[in-house]
Amino acid sequence: MSAPPLGEVVVRAKDVRRGLLPIFATTILISAFLLFSVQPLFSKMVLPQLGGSPVVWSFSLVFFQAAVLAGYAYAHVIATYMRPALALALHAFVLAIALAALPIAVPQDWAAAAGQADILALAAVYIWGVGLPVFAISATAPLLQSWFSRTGHHQAADPYFLYGASNIGSFAALALYPFAIEPLTALGWQVSNWSMLYAVLALLLLLCGMMSLTDDAPARRTEAPAAPLGWSERFKWMGLSAVPSGLLVAVTAHVATDVVSAPFVWVVPLALFLLTFVIVFRADPWISHARVLQVHALVVAPLIALLFFRAFEMAMVVLHLAAFFVAAMVCHGELARRRPEARRLTEFYLLMSLGGVIGGIFASLISPMIFSRIYEYPILLVAVFACRADFWEALRGSGKLTLLPAAAALAIIAFVAFGGQHVLTVNKLVEQSILPIAAGLALAAFVARHQRVLQTGIVAVGLCVMSLFGISATSVETVRSLFGVHMVLKDPEAKFHLLAHGTTLHGAQRWFDDAGRDVSANPQPIAYYYRGGPYEHAISAVRAARGGSLGHVGIMGLGSGGLSCYQQPGEAWRFFEIDHEVTRIARDPRLFTFLKHCPADVVMGDGRIKIAEEPDQSYDLLIMDAFSSDSIPVHLLTAEALDVYRRKLKPGGVMLFHVSNRYMELGSVVAAIAQSRGEVARLNRRDAAPASRPAEPGVARVWPAAPQDRAIEPWIVLVAKNEKDFGAIATDARWYSLKDDELSAPWTDDYSNVLGAIYRFKTADGKIGVR
């Protein structure tokens, strides 16, 4: 057979190149969408079986980062050291093996051991459940860009713009999963459609590989040897990736802890983070790097004075997010300017990924162990200044004298981060004078914008001063765990102690009465749990219905331990708490004395997992008090979870769900779940607070939502098999049942709709407890 004419070959090559870009971009976008959507999908699958303990949470975070890093390393190896045809054949095999491992599922043989925090079992669950598909997908973006660079397309010499398609796909998954996919579809539908989309991706990947081989442009051009690359440049790639990745975690934690806590607060910082990649890796960035450097200090300097400012919440959120966006633009802009030629593309992405993992682990896992507050946030804000090329140029030409501000800043950072807050006493005079000082430092940082080293030193000193004195004079104790920052506060008259997690109140105790007498030896429940309120009414009614004694009571969620003082002689009360720091605080008699004077057992671990381990029919009352924060543990509030609780209750036993929440209406969710399981539910009227309710002005002065305000009157849902199990509550006008049209769809392990709960809270339906 004779060879086709040369003209025909050229025409065919042009036809191939014409379709290259849309197909490559679409494939990269789909791969990113699958990668970002599989993480919440699989987490939703494993949570009911593994629980949400710190070990499981930390392992999940590290696993997905390690899987992505492994995918990038694999892409680098086959793109660099294999012939294109052989690399394509190997990747086709990997794709086929991953496809055979679908659909995604939790390996039941390992799930039970993994729920007990067995690391090997956890690894088996994640690797066998989702590891192969995640590994294969992770290699897509760098591999396709490398293949694209081998084609004869006119943009092949600089394929980094395709990274924008990857980040658009990531953003699509980020937006669609919590706001559309999860609330509108069941888990089974998500798994099957994810698998089908993966099959489409595999076919597109093979098509892209064949198109890159079909284009014979590489054979017609002679490539010069790659320019030598030193390890200093490689470390810069990692550093420029690590700082913004850590800052993403830090600013999200800071906003949720010290500014405003709300569901999905993490979405906006992550969206901005992805947007910066789309902007800077274009051939012609939408925002020039020079302009970003000009506004950097202008945006960050106000944080010197307002780092821990709690008023004007939305304005502060905008300021923090603006500072984060510009900081990420600085780092990613420097990274884009340093991107190597296309043949080193996979190595570049591998080291970027490694830097991202380092930054993420530092902010997510290491910082909670070494810092008592979110000090990594100001530290990383300062580190961004050190990521600027003009900073190092100024440093090299400035002489040793200008190193003093930076050295002083580092010393203050170390002092603040490793315990300085326990040495300095914050008094009223300091509180009144620190803001003008900080404002002066902010102005100085802006004025020194053309002196990079001096400016960095001023910003470092200013942020660290505000970190040091951002600890309120009312703070008694500040501790941190993987679940966030816990603070024990006192009112100005030192009459009350309050336990706060971010912006959510989790407990309170009166320490001195109005006459100044110490009443800590006779602790009384207050705030949500006040005497004469719905909690006491419900507990007393169930106790009376069961012959005057509750026998065994289980409580999910410890807080300060205030509920323990509702127990009576002969009763055994047991708390289930997931956070070791909360348990330590509740047991410390310097902070709270409920458990000292009203002893109760505390079992550590995920509430659903630990209650499932209890003997069947062993409890008279189960209290679920874990839903008041902005991020609720959904797996504790499903029909399958209610089945677990019911098995642990004695005949006629009752469940009490505390569903007070500042963002979500959860009462109709519990009532709907109860109805789906053939049980009955009663809710208290939130507008029926007794006129005799004790005022707690000291608490109100420390916490914006005063406990005597009827708006935070606790909202409780009682669930039982029969009306008679409620006792007197069954006929009490202060308790009512929801109508069918007021019920939400029942939540299950397969389906939940947090967005719907938020919507009901924001609309009239959110006031169904006020009648």
Side-chain angles (χ1 to χ4, degrees), residues 90-414:
L90 175 60
H91 195 53
F93 176 74
V94 171
L95 291 171
I97 293 295
L99 184 62
L102 296 177
I104 296 168
V106 179
Q108 295 303 313
D109 293 341
W110 296 95
Q116 302 301 319
D118 183 319
I119 296 299
L120 291 179
L122 277 171
V125 166
Y126 277 83
I127 291 173
W128 288 109
V130 76
L132 284 174
V134 169
F135 171 79
I137 294 171
S138 299
T140 300
L143 198 55
L144 283 181
Q145 290 178 64
S146 175
W147 288 351
F148 185 81
S149 70
R150 297 175 182 270
T151 69
H153 195 276
H154 68 277
Q155 293 179 278
D158 185 18
Y160 291 96
F161 70 94
L162 286 171
Y163 197 42
S166 175
N167 286 283
I168 291 172
S170 302
F171 179 78
L174 172 70
L176 289 177
Y177 192 86
F179 297 116
I181 296 174
E182 184 180 38
L184 297 178
T185 65
L187 194 57
W189 184 94
Q190 296 171 28
V191 170
S192 60
N193 281 272
W194 193 94
S195 300
M196 286 190 290
L197 191 57
Y198 174 85
V200 172
L201 173 68
L203 293 175
L204 287 173
L205 273 166
L206 295 178
L207 177 61
C208 289
M210 295 174 65
M211 293 177 73
S212 67
L213 292 176
T214 303
D215 191 340
D216 62 352
R220 299 197 313 269
R221 66 173 180 259
T222 302
E223 296 182 341
L229 181 68
W231 274 102
S232 62
E233 185 67 13
R234 292 183 172 98
F235 281 121
K236 289 174 184 176
W237 293 347
M238 287 190 288
L240 289 169
S241 180
V243 171
S245 294
L247 191 59
L248 168 64
V249 177
V251 72
T252 304
H254 176 80
V255 169
T257 299
D258 291 303
V259 184
V260 57
S261 182
F264 306 119
V265 71
W266 53 270
V267 171
V268 178
L270 185 51
L272 293 174
F273 181 82
L274 296 173
L275 178 61
T276 62
F277 281 117
V278 176
I279 294 173
V280 303
F281 277 93
R282 288 171 52 88
D284 182 21
W286 297 330
I287 306 173
S288 70
H289 190 61
R291 180 60 57 86
V292 172
L293 295 180
Q294 289 174 359
V295 302
H296 182 203
L298 179 64
V299 176
V300 175
L303 289 181
I304 296 176
L306 302 172
L307 186 63
F308 289 102
F309 195 63
R310 286 180 177 259
F312 306 108
E313 291 178 347
M314 292 311 301
M316 290 301 100
V317 169
V318 171
L319 177 60
H320 285 288
L321 293 180
F324 165 70
F325 175 73
V326 172
M329 284 288 293
V330 168
C331 295
H332 291 157
E334 295 285 352
L335 197 58
R337 294 175 66 198
R338 292 179 175 276
R339 64 185 184 269
E341 55 192 350
R343 78 191 70 186
R344 292 193 183 275
L345 177 146
T346 53
E347 181 184 12
F348 177 68
Y349 282 134
L350 173 61
L351 295 177
M352 272 182 58
S353 178
L354 178 58
V357 170
I358 292 171
I361 289 177
F362 166 72
S364 300
L365 302 181
I366 297 176
S367 293
M369 293 189 292
I370 62 176
F371 300 147
S372 62
R373 294 192 71 181
I374 307 173
Y375 291 125
E376 66 272 18
Y377 179 44
I379 290 173
L380 289 169
L381 283 174
V382 174
V384 174
F385 283 87
C387 289
R388 297 173 54 149
D390 56 358
F391 169 82
W392 293 101
E393 292 170 2
L395 188 62
R396 282 191 293 268
S398 60
K400 295 182 179 181
L401 184 62
T402 54
L403 290 175
L404 292 178
L410 291 175
I412 293 176
I413 288 174

Side-chain angles (χ1 to χ4, degrees), residues 548-594:
S549 176
L550 283 173
H552 289 80
V553 176
I555 306 147
M556 188 186 299
L558 174 60
S560 59
L563 275 176
S564 64
C565 288
Y566 275 122
Q567 65 182 306
Q568 292 186 354
E571 297 178 351
W573 287 44
R574 173 172 290 177
F575 289 92
F576 298 89
E577 174 56 49
I578 197 170
D579 194 331
H580 285 273
E581 287 298 336
V582 170
T583 300
R584 187 191 65 77
I585 289 172
R587 284 176 166 167
D588 189 339
R590 299 177 303 109
L591 307 176
F592 298 99
T593 62
F594 293 116

